[in-house]
Amino acid sequence: MLPSFLPAFWYNSLGLLSDAGHNLGDVASLVLAMLAFRLAKVHPTTSYTYGYKKSTILVSLLNAVILLVAVGIIIAESVTKLIHPRPVEGDAIAWVAGVGVVINAVTAWFFMKDKDKDLNVKGAYLHMAADVLVSIGVVISGIVIAYTGWYIIDPIIGLLIAIVIVISTWGLLRDSLRLSLDGVPAGTDIGKVEEVMHAVPGVKGVHHLHIWAISTTETALTAHISIRDLSEMERIKSEIKHDLQHVGVQHATLEFETVDAPGDRFCWPD
């Protein structure tokens, strides 16, 4: 994104600088995401029995943090220019940002079809889509400045860009932080999962149910299953694992016990 930064500094435009900084953050995010995808394919070892699949979650969290840091810088610069406005060239700002609109729109289109399959892909799509809106805003500001000479619009656009970044990043930050803490992945209904397990013939109870993400695309589960006849265990295990695949759980570890086995029961409050 160096070509975007050069005009931003040359024309002293905070709107262009914010847009270029946002784009640079997105490029860094894509590079980190590609690195995470490669790490996720590394075979497990005795030290990392899941391999490096968790890196996809950590990278999505890092991407969100990078963008929020960028927001802080943009806000600080915008406030400074609000207090001390400087003249900028509106025509040049509009043309440079217009090129950004085209590039970001095409890039967002490439990610659109797979945005619901992976958290990092979703993050990339949201960032690029936000970039389109940001660049359009900068184009409009350039046109207004060119015709009115209202230079104060430049830092105002910078603040609006910061708001757009926060809105587009907040969901990514929330979801990645949740997965980093081994929370139940968004989109996985723990009640539905338990219902699916209870529906298998022979299952009398489900407890100690835990669901977490191995990566941004793989979900794991452990649970205790109460049954009456242990001779049915293999059949029940096979059916449960098959049914769990349909609710997005790829890895299930199940412990079986008879219904009269002693032990505590863990329940979630209604």
Side-chain angles (χ1 to χ4, degrees):
M1 289 293 114
L2 182 59
S4 297
F5 274 109
L6 292 178
F9 284 113
W10 182 265
Y11 295 113
N12 191 32
S13 170
L14 185 58
L16 277 181
L17 185 60
S18 301
D19 191 19
H22 191 195
N23 289 337
L24 180 62
D26 289 344
V27 171
S29 297
L30 292 176
V31 171
L32 288 172
M34 291 173 62
L35 175 62
F37 286 137
R38 279 190 166 277
L39 289 174
K41 294 179 181 180
V42 175
H43 294 296
T45 66
T46 53
S47 298
Y48 297 91
T49 55
Y50 277 123
Y52 299 110
K53 294 180 179 181
K54 199 82 168 184
S55 63
T56 58
I57 296 173
L58 298 178
V59 161
S60 67
L61 178 60
L62 179 59
N63 285 339
V65 171
I66 289 173
L67 286 173
L68 291 179
V69 170
V71 166
I73 296 173
I74 292 171
I75 290 175
E77 289 296 322
S78 297
V79 171
T80 299
K81 289 197 72 174
L82 278 173
I83 299 173
H84 305 288
R86 300 175 188 173
V88 292
E89 295 187 30
D91 290 338
I93 292 173
W95 280 109
V96 174
V99 174
V101 171
V102 176
I103 295 174
N104 290 324
V106 172
T107 307
W109 181 77
F110 281 128
F111 287 102
M112 184 171 64
K113 65 177 181 179
D114 295 323
K115 66 182 176 66
D116 295 324
K117 297 179 181 179
D118 180 83
L119 192 60
N120 280 300
V121 176
K122 179 181 179 181
Y125 168 76
L126 290 176
H127 292 170
M128 293 304 171
D131 283 347
V132 174
L133 297 177
V134 167
S135 295
I136 290 174
V138 176
V139 169
I140 294 173
S141 74
I143 294 173
V144 173
I145 290 172
Y147 281 94
T148 66
W150 296 345
Y151 303 128
I152 199 171
I153 289 177
D154 189 48
I156 291 175
I157 289 297
L159 290 174
L160 291 177
I161 289 174
I163 294 172
V164 170
I165 297 174
V166 169
I167 293 174
S168 64
T169 305
W170 188 253
L172 178 66
L173 176 64
R174 181 195 61 225
D175 291 343
S176 56
L177 184 59
R178 182 176 184 173
L179 296 186
S180 298
L181 296 174
D182 287 336
V184 178
T188 299
D189 185 343
I190 195 167
K192 177 65 176 179
V193 170
E194 192 168 7
E195 181 182 320
V196 165
M197 298 171 74
H198 272 292
V200 174
V203 173
K204 301 303 178 183
V206 177
H207 57 283
H208 292 314
L209 175 61
H210 301 280
I211 304 174
W212 72 98
I214 297 177
S215 71
T216 53
T217 57
E218 296 178 81
T219 301
L221 169 153
T222 60
H224 287 212
I225 310 296
S226 297
I227 60 178
R228 289 194 181 279
D229 187 357
L230 287 179
S231 65
E232 288 282 293
M233 182 178 66
E234 291 304 322
R235 190 264 309 167
I236 294 173
K237 181 194 298 183
S238 177
E239 289 189 25
I240 289 177
K241 289 189 174 184
H242 176 270
D243 292 346
L244 286 176
Q245 292 280 342
H246 295 290
V247 290
V249 178
Q250 294 83 10
H251 303 273
T253 302
L254 308 173
E255 181 173 335
F256 288 85
E257 57 195 36
T258 56
V259 291
D260 55 350
D264 57 325
R265 295 293 184 267
F266 180 84
C267 298
W268 295 274
D270 295 328

